């Protein structure tokens, strides 16, 4: 049985993956710690502006946070165009290799 990821569980995973406390996330997005706790426990949903701030803070899309996108996008911030092109090339080669193996 596959457990459906909720907004709160995705938010918690993102926060923990970056070793951030609820207090730090609250500070980054302009809310109090209790609000972050409510969001992570699915007790409350954030307003749109807060949702956008969360997505920006964690380098993901709002669709990912809301569960529309199933896969977490790669955060490419801080990479040069050359770095990004290199990653695209590697990904294309890996996709081609996996396609021919089937």
């Amino acid at each position: 049985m596959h457990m459906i990821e909720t907004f709160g569980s995705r938010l918690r995973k993102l926060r923990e993956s970056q070793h951030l406390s609820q207090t730090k996330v609250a500070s980054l997005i302009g809310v109090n710690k209790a609000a972050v706790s409510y969001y992570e426990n699915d007790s409350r949903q954030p307003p749109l502006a807060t949702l956008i701030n969360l997505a920006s803070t964690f380098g993901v899309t709002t669709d990912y946070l809301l569960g529309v996108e199933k896969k977490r996008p790669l955060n490419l911030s801080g990479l040069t165009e050359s770095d990004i092109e290199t990653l695209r090339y590697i990904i294309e080669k890996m996709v081609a290799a996996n396609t021919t193996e089937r």
Side-chain angles (χ1 to χ4, degrees):
M1 184 172 173
H2 188 298
M3 187 175 136
I4 297 175
E5 272 191 302
T6 65
F7 170 81
S9 65
R10 284 183 179 220
L11 176 58
R12 184 183 311 267
K13 278 185 184 177
L14 287 168
R15 179 179 61 77
E16 290 175 348
S17 75
Q18 293 191 17
H19 309 289
L20 298 173
S21 66
Q22 288 181 340
T23 303
K24 181 64 176 175
V25 171
S27 170
L28 291 170
I29 64 170
V31 300
N32 61 37
K33 178 191 175 293
V36 175
S37 178
Y38 290 138
Y39 303 153
E40 288 187 1
N41 291 314
D42 292 307
S43 300
R44 293 189 187 158
Q45 295 297 312
L48 181 58
T50 302
L51 178 66
I52 292 168
N53 283 340
L54 283 165
S56 177
T57 297
F58 290 108
V60 297
T61 64
T62 54
D63 280 353
Y64 173 78
L65 283 172
L66 295 172
V68 176
E69 286 180 11
K70 300 303 177 205
K71 294 181 182 173
R72 181 176 168 187
L74 292 175
N75 182 353
L76 303 179
S77 61
L79 298 181
T80 65
E81 275 303 310
S82 177
D83 294 338
I84 293 170
E85 284 305 312
T86 300
L87 286 173
R88 282 191 180 119
Y89 175 79
I90 292 168
I91 291 168
E92 288 171 8
K93 291 296 182 186
M94 292 178 80
V95 167
N98 286 331
T99 304
T100 54
E101 289 178 6
R102 293 180 183 187

